[in-house]
Amino acid sequence: MFQVLTLDNMNPNVKRVEYAVRGPIVQRAVQIEKELKEGVKKPFSEVIKANIGDAHAMGQKPITFLRQVLALCSYPELLEDNKFPEDAKKRAKRILQACGGHSIGAYSASQGIECVRQDVARYIEKRDGGISSNPDNIYLSTGASDAIVTMLKLLVCGEGRDRTGVMISIPQYPLYSAALADLGAVQVSYYLDEDKCWSLDVAELRRSLNAARQHCNPRVLCIINPGNPTGQVQSRQCIEDVIRFAKEEHLFLMADEVYQDNVYAEGCKFHSFKKVLFEMGPEYSSTVEMASFHSTSKCYMGECGFRGGYMEIINMDPEVKAQLTKLVSVRLCPPVPGQALLDLVVNPPQPDEPSYTTFMKERTVVLADLAEKARLTEQIFNKVPGITCNPVQGAMYTFPRITLSQKAIDKAKEEGQVPDMFYCMKLLEEEGICLVPGSGFGQREGTFHFRMTILPPTEKLKVVLHKISEFHLRFTQDAFV
Amino acid sequence: MFQVLTLDNMNPNVKRVEYAVRGPIVQRAVQIEKELKEGVKKPFSEVIKANIGDAHAMGQKPITFLRQVLALCSYPELLEDNKFPEDAKKRAKRILQACGGHSIGAYSASQGIECVRQDVARYIEKRDGGISSNPDNIYLSTGASDAIVTMLKLLVCGEGRDRTGVMISIPQYPLYSAALADLGAVQVSYYLDEDKCWSLDVAELRRSLNAARQHCNPRVLCIINPGNPTGQVQSRQCIEDVIRFAKEEHLFLMADEVYQDNVYAEGCKFHSFKKVLFEMGPEYSSTVEMASFHSTSKCYMGECGFRGGYMEIINMDPEVKAQLTKLVSVRLCPPVPGQALLDLVVNPPQPDEPSYTTFMKERTVVLADLAEKARLTEQIFNKVPGITCNPVQGAMYTFPRITLSQKAIDKAKEEGQVPDMFYCMKLLEEEGICLVPGSGFGQREGTFHFRMTILPPTEKLKVVLHKISEFHLRFTQDAFV
């Protein structure tokens, strides 16, 4: 039989794509879940998927106000119902008013509903102490991933040594490496400093850039702050240095700031790239080209399933902006329920509104819990010989370093696996805990890590941390003697 | 000032992308709407956007059952509310049960929620008279566009004369040409026969294929049935011929069947490519590689804003399928509210359930109205000298041919516009009606068309049809004498 489409003649860029967060280990986890359901005996009764930042899947409850408004938007007959608070109704009416035919089932403008973009701009202005934001520079998106891929797509051109290079941190969130492979762009890696709490050093940026210039045309610098998978929060000084570097070296800045509300460590604060840029004066604020990304999937709401998000673009050439607008129009519009949700996130209940107290209480509990879990994680892991764990200053992950014996490394090689994949696979089979190996994010050669979310409920997280600790001791002491 | 990203050094493929459905004419329409709001005097009081198949924006009411279940999924506290029928609650509970943490705010599997894929497979089996469908071959998507682009992406490879060619109809839905430009694939055009009600002729497919083989490697054949923008419904015989052709010529078939419920003309019937393929016997059903696409945006529900959809793949190489699964995982998952909606569309209320009567009534009214509007459109347009209009057998559009005088053509050239763009722009400025010029979809050289949706409510549609008719007479008789 003749096969039209085969591994040999399919898109070679797609073959190069890798995405460890949903890779082979997660596929095995799903399989094990099925086996458990079918009654297969395992040393555990459930699989705990700590591989992905999926708050609701880990038991976090949705924020009441958000869901009330979404229900009202979905079924406007409920606007007559006394059970819904007035501010929820007000928000729903405003969103519906802005929709074609007053229905969230209509397409929106491709850039997103205008009043939502206005609310996003106001949110940014408030966040950044009054620095102005223009709704025309806001593009709503299908989660942040969509906007990031769209921005990268605009930026990629050239062949051979002229091919666009994109600087990304190592460790990185593998959406970046996957998108670069897909687009056939050149990945230019710079390393975060694990010994200094995964901080970013301009000297390392410069080393990486100079090396890359030998073989490609680096034009873009991507930063994730707070960090994924590494959980660090960049200092204001560091951000200033990065902006200065981007200006000097003519780099387009992409600031992935989806964890902007997830900052836990004392003394740490989220500084948006936009705010720092504008505080550096017109020499910078009127020249440095930038896109900043945000999402409804993280922070306190964790509404991943709705695929809401936005990007703000700054100093983009108007002709390029027109091309961007054209490009997003091909996919018609981001999901409208996700746009509605984003509107509530950037325009939450105010102190004089009936939902304020409940909303603030729910929000505070989630963030306080996360802060507690961040602390716990660091504390417990650092007690284990062979695990070193930087403070989880922000975001939703820990990326601890694990020391593996030469025997374990050899054994992994024998089985045809990279060592941390081998480690995580064994942990999954023995304890039912699903993590992502550090190799899926990138790490300095000879070092090994894993990424774990801190999202499980506190009591369950404690169990997870202890199980991993025990497994680690077993793995390093007994397994390959 | 140094600009990093300019029109000259941005992705050249993106520059080549065009998408007329949301092109310059729609941008002008939005502007005019703003001017009207600001009190600028116009010869009309509202802009009627007949450019896009957006049912709710045109006043179609959402189907009650769908929205009740979506509200229940959004705010599960409503499951206690007596106002909601039991079958709506049952569906909502089943969907929530299948979501991580029982929340539509959790990510789903990247391929889509398993129970939704099962329901889709059952729907296809029922539609196709029992021919089996495997949920593993169903991929949920962010509208049909997303799945179409993903499939095309898998298929594109090679350079120069080996570059993948993709056969698309002319006229076509410009998502296809836009995606091909973006992917740098070669567009291979075959013409539909306007004189035979936009039918598809294998001789024309063969002509197009042979011509293309001189300069690229044609590997894919895309068919839209029922047709967009042309509204024809392919006969069973035609589909069989196309399948035979695809097998002989080793082409991967992409069947865009998003209008499968939108068939109006007497004697016309929707035949799915899958069903015909399997009825042709194992020689075909076990060899021809195919993907078929469907969406929640069209048919009787018209829920465009939710961005729901799916594709079914058939006879795909398992190794390629694994690559597909990996590729979709990078974007995490399609919007979960859209997945929930899709589940209701493929698993609607049954005769013994409380919502059945209302659901059927609402569905029937929408489809009967559309059938009436299809008939009206053809009738009124064909009375106008200089407009010829094929029957709108299915889908949601008419694509009438307009005869333009040499003077009008010259005048357009003077203004730097293609003639049908010039025509549509004038119509917009004078009558406030927004259509898409035929040039945005492709047409035989020297012929001119426009696409108009038949979605406005009947009374308004009549007004639109008459206004266009009068405008056409004015345009051809007086304007450029």
Side-chain angles (χ1 to χ4, degrees):
Chain A
M1 171 190 156
F2 184 91
Q3 194 88 32
V4 177
L5 180 60
T6 67
L7 208 52
D8 290 334
N9 67 17
M10 65 173 280
N11 186 332
N13 287 347
V14 171
K15 280 196 276 187
R16 280 190 279 268
V17 166
E18 283 181 33
Y19 187 69
V21 173
R22 296 208 152 186
I25 201 142
V26 183
Q27 284 168 23
R28 178 64 190 136
V30 171
Q31 220 168 37
I32 292 178
E33 277 183 328
K34 278 196 183 166
E35 291 172 17
L36 281 172
K37 259 193 200 160
E38 289 159 5
V40 179
K41 284 245 152 116
K42 302 271 174 190
F44 47 84
S45 59
E46 65 161 339
V47 176
I48 299 171
K49 287 193 204 142
N51 59 296
I52 189 162
D54 190 352
H56 292 197
M58 283 290 131
Q60 185 184 309
K61 292 281 157 274
I63 303 287
T64 304
F65 179 75
L66 305 183
R67 295 309 195 88
Q68 285 177 331
V69 180
L70 286 164
L72 290 163
C73 288
S74 299
Y75 189 52
E77 278 75 357
L78 293 171
L79 288 165
E80 309 300 322
D81 194 318
N82 294 327
K83 267 183 307 198
F84 288 85
E86 283 308 312
D87 49 353
K89 289 184 185 176
K90 193 177 123 196
R91 293 293 194 295
K93 281 181 197 160
R94 181 155 177 274
I95 292 165
L96 290 172
Q97 201 63 38
C99 290
H102 303 173
S103 165
I104 56 168
Y107 292 121
S108 76
S110 301
Q111 200 173 341
I113 298 172
E114 190 166 1
C115 82
V116 179
R117 290 189 286 113
Q118 286 165 353
D119 287 348
V120 168
R122 267 195 290 268
Y123 161 83
I124 294 172
E125 286 179 355
K126 202 172 153 198
R127 180 197 71 187
D128 291 343
I131 292 160
S132 90
S133 172
N134 183 346
D136 282 349
N137 291 335
I138 309 293
Y139 285 75
L140 307 193
S141 59
T142 307
S145 304
D146 171 44
I148 290 168
V149 171
T150 299
M151 249 338 289
L152 287 172
K153 180 180 281 180
L154 275 188
L155 280 153
V156 170
C157 74
E159 293 303 327
R161 279 191 58 167
D162 293 329
R163 191 69 179 160
T164 295
V166 178
M167 301 184 71
I168 63 173
S169 63
I170 298 295
Q172 54 118 12
Y173 174 56
L175 166 71
Y176 289 91
S177 50
L180 298 181
D182 187 350
L183 292 165
V186 182
Q187 175 177 329
V188 176
S189 306
Y190 64 87
Y191 288 88
L192 301 175
D193 190 346
E194 184 165 14
D195 296 335
K196 292 184 182 157
C197 197
W198 298 114
S199 68
L200 193 168
D201 178 21
V202 169
E204 166 60 11
L205 287 180
R206 186 157 285 122
R207 178 207 62 75
S208 159
L209 182 69
N210 289 337
R213 286 203 168 125
Q214 308 301 312
H215 62 90
C216 72
N217 177 17
R219 304 172 65 202
V220 194
L221 171 54
C222 301
I223 310 272
I224 312 175
N225 178 52
N228 175 5
T230 37
Q232 82 284 15
V233 176
Q234 304 292 1
S235 68
R236 200 190 172 291
Q237 183 59 51
C238 169
I239 293 171
E240 221 182 287
D241 294 345
V242 168
I243 291 173
R244 203 167 287 118
F245 177 77
K247 180 172 168 60
E248 276 167 27
E249 302 293 350
H250 300 315
L251 298 169
F252 190 104
L253 263 177
M254 287 178 56
D256 180 339
E257 299 179 319
V258 301
Y259 298 100
Q260 55 190 265
D261 286 342
N262 297 107
V263 176
Y264 318 117
E266 252 179 75
C268 282
K269 205 184 150 217
F270 170 72
H271 301 274
S272 79
F273 268 78
K274 166 105 181 274
K275 181 163 192 261
V276 176
L277 178 70
F278 277 72
E279 286 172 354
M280 288 168 76
E283 188 194 343
Y284 291 89
S285 66
S286 64
T287 61
V288 175
E289 292 153 72
M290 202 184 96
S292 159
F293 306 89
H294 197 15
S295 158
T296 57
S297 304
K298 311 298 169 186
C299 301
Y300 63 93
M301 51 281 181
E303 294 277 11
C304 313
F306 281 82
R307 317 305 300 121
Y310 75 80
M311 69 172 161
E312 182 184 26
I313 52 166
I314 293 156
N315 292 321
M316 183 178 272
D317 181 316
E319 286 181 317
V320 176
K321 186 167 179 291
Q323 294 287 326
L324 169 61
T325 304
K326 178 190 71 177
L327 181 62
V328 298
S329 78
V330 178
R331 297 295 271 274
L332 299 162
C333 70
V336 176
Q339 297 186 46
L341 181 65
L342 178 65
D343 191 56
L344 309 172
V345 168
V346 296
N347 182 20
Q350 297 305 303
D352 58 346
E353 291 183 317
S355 301
Y356 181 74
T357 313
T358 308
F359 173 80
M360 284 310 287
K361 206 176 120 194
E362 291 176 345
R363 181 184 192 278
T364 308
V365 165
V366 171
L367 292 175
D369 271 3
L370 282 170
E372 165 67 6
K373 292 190 274 194
R375 203 187 48 74
L376 255 178
T377 301
E378 179 198 354
Q379 208 175 56
I380 296 180
F381 273 154
N382 277 329
K383 281 192 191 141
V384 185
I387 298 187
T388 359
C389 177
N390 271 315
V392 183
Q393 297 175 328
M396 299 180 162
Y397 316 98
T398 176
F399 196 68
R401 181 164 171 181
I402 47 177
T403 311
L404 302 182
S405 67
Q406 192 54 47
K407 275 190 181 151
I409 295 170
D410 293 344
K411 180 73 181 164
K413 222 174 259 173
E414 249 180 76
E415 312 241 325
Q417 285 179 336
V418 292
D420 48 14
M421 173 64 95
F422 179 67
Y423 177 97
C424 289
M425 210 50 119
K426 261 193 121 49
L427 174 70
L428 174 64
E429 298 286 352
E430 292 180 13
E431 303 286 354
I433 296 169
C434 180
L435 305 178
V436 191
S439 46
F441 305 87
Q443 51 200 354
R444 281 204 184 269
E445 189 152 349
T447 69
F448 305 108
H449 302 77
F450 58 76
R451 186 185 83 163
M452 185 189 91
T453 72
I454 59 165
L455 289 171
T458 311
E459 286 315 303
K460 192 178 252 184
L461 180 68
K462 282 185 191 162
V463 175
V464 169
L465 292 169
H466 287 297
K467 278 186 164 192
I468 295 175
S469 305
E470 283 162 26
F471 168 82
H472 184 82
L473 292 176
R474 223 165 51 233
F475 184 89
T476 45
Q477 288 168 5
D478 316 334
F480 312 105
V481 185
Chain B
M1 171 191 156
F2 184 90
Q3 194 87 32
V4 177
L5 180 60
T6 67
L7 207 54
D8 289 335
N9 67 16
M10 66 172 280
N11 187 332
N13 287 346
V14 170
K15 279 196 277 187
R16 280 189 280 268
V17 165
E18 283 181 34
Y19 187 68
V21 175
R22 296 207 152 189
I25 199 141
V26 184
Q27 285 167 23
R28 178 64 191 136
V30 172
Q31 223 169 35
I32 292 179
E33 277 182 328
K34 278 195 184 168
E35 292 172 15
L36 281 172
K37 258 192 200 162
E38 289 159 5
V40 179
K41 284 243 153 121
K42 301 270 175 192
F44 46 85
S45 59
E46 65 163 337
V47 176
I48 298 171
K49 287 194 204 139
N51 59 297
I52 190 165
D54 190 351
H56 292 197
M58 282 291 131
Q60 185 182 308
K61 291 280 156 274
I63 303 287
T64 305
F65 179 75
L66 305 183
R67 294 309 195 88
Q68 286 177 330
V69 179
L70 286 165
L72 290 163
C73 288
S74 300
Y75 190 51
E77 278 74 359
L78 293 171
L79 287 165
E80 308 300 323
D81 193 320
N82 294 329
K83 267 183 308 199
F84 287 86
E86 283 309 312
D87 49 353
K89 290 184 185 176
K90 194 177 122 196
R91 293 292 195 295
K93 281 182 196 160
R94 180 156 176 274
I95 292 165
L96 290 172
Q97 202 63 39
C99 290
H102 302 174
S103 166
I104 56 169
Y107 292 121
S108 76
S110 300
Q111 200 173 341
I113 299 173
E114 191 167 1
C115 83
V116 180
R117 289 189 287 115
Q118 286 164 354
D119 287 348
V120 168
R122 266 195 290 268
Y123 161 83
I124 294 172
E125 287 179 355
K126 204 172 152 196
R127 180 197 70 187
D128 291 344
I131 292 160
S132 90
S133 172
N134 183 346
D136 282 349
N137 291 336
I138 309 293
Y139 286 75
L140 307 193
S141 58
T142 307
S145 305
D146 171 45
I148 290 168
V149 171
T150 300
M151 246 341 287
L152 287 172
K153 180 180 280 181
L154 274 187
L155 280 153
V156 171
C157 73
E159 294 302 328
R161 279 192 55 166
D162 293 330
R163 191 68 178 162
T164 295
V166 178
M167 301 184 72
I168 62 174
S169 63
I170 297 294
Q172 53 117 14
Y173 174 57
L175 167 71
Y176 289 91
S177 50
L180 298 181
D182 186 352
L183 292 165
V186 181
Q187 174 177 328
V188 176
S189 305
Y190 64 89
Y191 288 87
L192 301 175
D193 190 345
E194 183 165 15
D195 295 336
K196 293 185 181 156
C197 196
W198 299 113
S199 70
L200 193 168
D201 177 21
V202 169
E204 167 60 11
L205 287 179
R206 185 158 287 122
R207 178 207 63 75
S208 158
L209 182 69
N210 289 338
R213 284 203 169 126
Q214 308 302 313
H215 61 92
C216 71
N217 177 18
R219 303 172 65 202
V220 193
L221 172 53
C222 302
I223 310 273
I224 312 176
N225 178 52
N228 175 5
T230 37
Q232 82 285 16
V233 177
Q234 305 291 2
S235 69
R236 198 188 174 291
Q237 184 58 51
C238 169
I239 292 171
E240 221 183 288
D241 293 346
V242 169
I243 291 173
R244 203 167 288 119
F245 176 77
K247 181 172 166 61
E248 276 167 27
E249 301 293 350
H250 301 315
L251 298 169
F252 190 103
L253 262 178
M254 288 178 57
D256 181 339
E257 300 178 320
V258 301
Y259 297 100
Q260 55 189 265
D261 286 341
N262 297 107
V263 177
Y264 318 117
E266 252 180 75
C268 282
K269 204 185 149 215
F270 170 72
H271 302 274
S272 80
F273 268 78
K274 166 103 181 274
K275 181 163 192 262
V276 176
L277 178 71
F278 276 72
E279 287 172 353
M280 288 169 75
E283 187 193 344
Y284 291 89
S285 67
S286 64
T287 60
V288 175
E289 292 153 70
M290 201 184 98
S292 158
F293 306 89
H294 197 15
S295 159
T296 57
S297 304
K298 311 299 170 186
C299 301
Y300 62 93
M301 52 283 180
E303 293 278 11
C304 312
F306 281 82
R307 316 305 300 120
Y310 75 80
M311 70 172 161
E312 182 183 27
I313 53 166
I314 294 156
N315 293 320
M316 183 178 272
D317 181 316
E319 286 181 317
V320 176
K321 185 167 179 293
Q323 294 287 326
L324 170 61
T325 305
K326 178 191 72 177
L327 181 62
V328 297
S329 79
V330 177
R331 296 294 272 272
L332 298 161
C333 70
V336 176
Q339 297 187 45
L341 181 65
L342 178 65
D343 191 57
L344 308 172
V345 168
V346 297
N347 182 21
Q350 297 305 304
D352 59 345
E353 291 182 318
S355 301
Y356 182 76
T357 314
T358 307
F359 172 81
M360 284 310 288
K361 206 175 120 193
E362 291 176 345
R363 180 184 193 279
T364 308
V365 166
V366 172
L367 291 176
D369 270 2
L370 282 170
E372 165 67 5
K373 292 189 274 194
R375 203 186 49 74
L376 256 178
T377 301
E378 180 199 352
Q379 210 174 57
I380 296 180
F381 273 154
N382 277 328
K383 282 191 192 143
V384 184
I387 297 187
T388 359
C389 176
N390 271 314
V392 183
Q393 298 175 329
M396 298 179 164
Y397 316 97
T398 177
F399 195 71
R401 182 165 171 181
I402 47 177
T403 310
L404 302 182
S405 66
Q406 192 54 48
K407 274 192 183 149
I409 295 170
D410 293 343
K411 179 73 181 163
K413 221 174 259 172
E414 247 180 78
E415 311 241 326
Q417 285 180 335
V418 293
D420 48 13
M421 172 64 95
F422 178 66
Y423 177 98
C424 288
M425 210 49 119
K426 261 194 122 47
L427 174 69
L428 174 63
E429 298 286 352
E430 293 181 12
E431 302 286 355
I433 297 170
C434 179
L435 306 177
V436 191
S439 45
F441 304 88
Q443 51 200 354
R444 280 204 184 270
E445 189 152 350
T447 69
F448 305 107
H449 302 77
F450 58 76
R451 186 185 84 162
M452 184 189 91
T453 71
I454 59 166
L455 289 171
T458 311
E459 286 316 304
K460 191 178 253 183
L461 179 68
K462 281 185 192 162
V463 174
V464 169
L465 291 169
H466 287 296
K467 279 186 162 193
I468 295 175
S469 304
E470 283 162 25
F471 167 82
H472 184 83
L473 292 177
R474 221 165 51 232
F475 185 89
T476 46
Q477 288 168 7
D478 316 331
F480 313 104
V481 185

